[in-house]
């Protein structure tokens, strides 16, 4: 079974849709009202459809819902009581304005408990420089990792959630950058070389027990992301004449601006391996980030983080797939208040079973064994109480069940 998210989906609208702007900050109800109204207006107005058929809009999307229950702590979408309120939906739109210019956007809605979030995951223009290279400008999909350009597309991965040792709250992966980028491919016989270079700014997810403890002590909300500016980076991929195999390396430099702390010089390097066939999916990634204080002499080391995972999935028959994953995330914080080591690392092993109805719809179940509190811990108030009394549990088990789709 070969699975692929099609960036040029089946629905085509040749008109302006009123929901294509002014959505950020609206409630989830408003979002769906505007979305439905725009779609109906587009598909039921012959005059608009006849105006310009060369400037068609291609619509696609993906989403899912999941249930999560843990034995201790909060992790991913699960908690001890059992969390049924995890849902997400994204809708993409792209338009070929001319032979060289195209515009793409992705609007994402997410629910976690009573919290809702609506944002543009990306919105950018692409100018084709040649048959092999293009230039992108705007809020662009980040090319730095295996999953970074398809963060929320569940039908392209074997687990409901991305591997947290890279894509969790450690700022080891970005899903977008705001700026300018160059992308292309070069062929040498049967070999393919992919090149991506970019510059600008962005934000990455960040969460930790340390920051949650600090928030509980100060009475302020815990930070959930870190912004970055003056970002320069690139990725190189190699596809040898072995069907399904891709090797990649990435490097990036930026000025990180964690909430409540001075700006830091941050460098990141990483490597990836991906091997995909009709039956076997194999992926592995390693990423390392090093941050220093800003100074003319190079600065003093402040923080280092290293994460990696190995993930494999196999189709027993065309519709049933088994999966396994193992990974580790470890922080080293210099000149910080000494805390128990469990707060600075995360180890995880997971197994999964998936039932594919089609390549565009799948039901997934997985069980995760977690050691450490780097990413798995209670709510800030409960965390402070558990930490103060020495009752913070370093072991967490998670059961996830849900469905995901794309179109």
């Amino acid at each position: 079974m070969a699975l692929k998210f099609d960036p040029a989906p089946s629905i085509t609208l040749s008109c302006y849709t009123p929901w294509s702007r002014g959505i950020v900050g609206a409630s989830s109800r408003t979002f769906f009202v505007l979305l439905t109204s725009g779609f109906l207006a587009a598909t039921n107005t012959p005059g608009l459809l006849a105006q310009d058929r060369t400037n068609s809009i291609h619509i696609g999307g993906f989403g899912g819902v999941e249930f999560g229950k843990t034995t201790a702590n909060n992790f991913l979408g699960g908690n001890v009581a059992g969390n049924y309120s995890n849902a997400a939906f994204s809708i993409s739109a792209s338009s070929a304005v001319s032979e060289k210019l195209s515009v793409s956007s992705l609007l994402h809605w997410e629910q976690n408990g009573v919290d809702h979030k609506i944002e543009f995951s990306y919105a950018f223009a692409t100018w084709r420089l040649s048959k092999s290279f293009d230039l992108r400008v705007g809020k662009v999909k980040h090319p730095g990792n295996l999953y970074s350009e398809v963060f929320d597309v569940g039908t392209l991965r074997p687990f409901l959630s991305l591997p947290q040792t890279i894509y969790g709250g450690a700022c080891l992966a970005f899903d977008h950058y705001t700026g300018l980028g160059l992308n292309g491919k070069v062929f040498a016989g049967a070999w393919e070389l992919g090149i991506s270079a970019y510059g600008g700014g962005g934000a990455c997810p960040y969460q930790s027990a340390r920051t949650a403890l600090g928030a509980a002590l100060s009475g302020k909300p815990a930070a959930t992301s870190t912004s970055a500016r003056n970002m320069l980076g690139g990725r190189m991929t190699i596809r040898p004449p072995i069907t399904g195999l891709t090797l990649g390396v990435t490097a990036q430099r930026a000025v990180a601006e964690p909430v409540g702390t001075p700006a830091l010089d941050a460098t990141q390097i990483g490597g990836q391996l991906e091997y995909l066939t009709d039956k076997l999916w194999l992926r592995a990634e390693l990423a390392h980030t090093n941050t220093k204080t800003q100074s003319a002499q190079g600065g003093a080391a402040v923080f280092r983080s290293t994460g990696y995972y190995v993930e494999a999935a196999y189709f027993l028959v065309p519709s049933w797939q088994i999966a396994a994953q193992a990974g580790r995330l470890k922080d080293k914080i210099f000149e910080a208040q000494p805390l128990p080591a469990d707060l600075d690392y995360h180890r995880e092993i997971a197994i999964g079973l998936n039932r594919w109805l089609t390549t565009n719809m799948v039901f997934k179940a997985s069980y995760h064994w977690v050691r450490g509190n780097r990413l798995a811990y209670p709510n800030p108030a409960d965390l402070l109480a558990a930490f103060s009394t020495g009752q913070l549990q370093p072991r967490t088990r998670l059961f996830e069940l849900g469905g995901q789709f794309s179109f």
Side-chain angles (χ1 to χ4, degrees):
M1 176 181 284
L3 303 179
K4 181 179 179 182
F5 175 68
D6 187 356
S10 57
I11 302 175
T12 301
L13 311 181
S14 299
C15 69
Y16 168 83
T17 51
W19 49 266
S20 62
R21 59 180 178 180
I23 301 298
V24 178
S27 68
S28 58
R29 181 178 179 182
T30 303
F31 164 66
F32 283 110
V33 169
L34 291 175
L35 176 61
T36 304
S37 300
F39 180 80
L40 292 176
T43 55
N44 289 281
T45 311
L48 287 177
L49 291 173
Q51 285 180 6
D52 184 3
R53 295 190 179 276
T54 64
N55 192 13
S56 61
I57 299 175
H58 302 280
I59 303 296
F62 45 86
V65 63
E66 66 182 75
F67 164 78
K69 181 175 175 57
T70 65
T71 57
N73 303 312
N74 299 333
F75 180 56
L76 289 174
N79 56 33
V80 176
N83 186 4
Y84 293 86
S85 301
N86 298 310
F89 180 74
S90 298
I91 187 162
S92 64
S94 63
S95 176
V97 180
S98 67
E99 290 185 0
K100 289 193 172 184
L101 176 62
S102 62
V103 179
S104 304
S105 65
L106 181 72
L107 185 63
H108 178 70
W109 168 84
E110 184 176 320
Q111 174 187 347
N112 190 336
V114 298
D115 297 326
H116 296 259
K117 179 177 70 174
I118 300 175
E119 65 177 0
F120 275 104
S121 296
Y122 59 77
F124 63 94
T126 301
W127 182 263
R128 191 175 67 175
L129 298 173
S130 67
K131 291 183 179 180
S132 300
F133 286 89
D134 62 64
L135 191 67
R136 299 179 181 181
V137 60
K139 188 175 182 180
V140 189
K141 295 183 290 185
H142 197 285
N145 302 87
L146 288 177
Y147 288 113
S148 58
E149 294 188 278
V150 290
F151 242 77
D152 299 303
V153 188
T155 53
L156 293 180
R157 59 176 184 252
F159 287 92
L160 283 164
S161 303
L162 290 169
Q164 294 300 287
T165 50
I166 294 289
Y167 298 91
C171 265
L172 294 175
F174 290 69
D175 67 344
H176 73 271
Y177 66 90
T178 304
L180 185 67
L182 178 70
N183 297 272
K185 297 178 181 179
V186 177
F187 296 89
W191 292 72
E192 177 186 306
L193 176 65
I195 300 172
S196 297
Y198 53 89
C204 53
Y206 187 85
Q207 67 175 69
S208 73
R210 280 181 175 265
T211 57
L213 275 174
L217 288 169
S218 65
K220 299 179 180 179
T224 58
S225 65
T226 294
S227 61
R229 56 182 171 84
N230 300 343
M231 179 189 295
L232 290 173
R235 182 183 181 213
M236 181 180 295
T237 60
I238 298 174
R239 290 185 177 179
I242 301 175
T243 303
L245 178 63
T246 303
L247 305 172
V249 293
T250 184
Q252 178 174 283
R253 183 173 185 173
V255 176
E257 298 178 312
V259 176
T261 63
L264 302 169
D265 287 326
T267 57
Q268 181 176 316
I269 57 173
Q272 307 97 33
L273 179 149
E274 182 178 60
Y275 179 65
L276 303 177
T277 69
D278 287 343
K279 285 195 170 185
L280 177 64
W281 299 356
L282 179 63
R283 295 181 175 99
E285 289 193 75
L286 169 69
H288 174 78
T289 288
N290 186 52
T291 60
K292 296 182 179 182
T293 56
Q294 292 187 295
S295 75
Q297 290 73 36
V302 175
F303 177 87
R304 290 177 185 168
S305 184
T306 303
Y308 63 84
Y309 74 88
V310 176
E311 178 182 82
Y314 185 77
F315 282 94
L316 300 172
V317 294
S319 59
W320 287 95
Q321 182 187 45
I322 56 174
Q325 182 189 109
R328 186 174 189 267
L329 170 65
K330 181 69 172 67
D331 292 344
K332 182 174 179 59
I333 303 174
F334 300 90
E335 299 181 359
Q337 180 180 355
L339 291 175
D342 288 334
L343 272 66
D344 293 329
Y345 80 93
H346 175 92
R347 294 176 182 171
E348 182 178 355
I349 296 175
I351 57 173
L353 177 65
N354 305 326
R355 173 67 168 91
W356 293 86
L357 302 183
T358 72
T359 57
N360 298 100
M361 187 169 184
V362 57
F363 291 98
K364 301 177 182 179
S366 61
Y367 201 83
H368 305 246
W369 290 266
V370 174
R371 178 67 186 267
N373 299 113
R374 174 62 176 80
L375 300 175
Y377 51 85
N379 296 324
D382 298 328
L383 171 62
L384 181 59
F387 179 76
S388 301
T389 59
Q391 297 180 347
L392 182 60
Q393 298 294 321
R395 296 178 184 269
T396 304
R397 286 176 288 172
L398 166 71
F399 172 70
E400 279 192 305
L401 176 66
Q404 294 173 319
F405 58 88
S406 62
F407 65 92

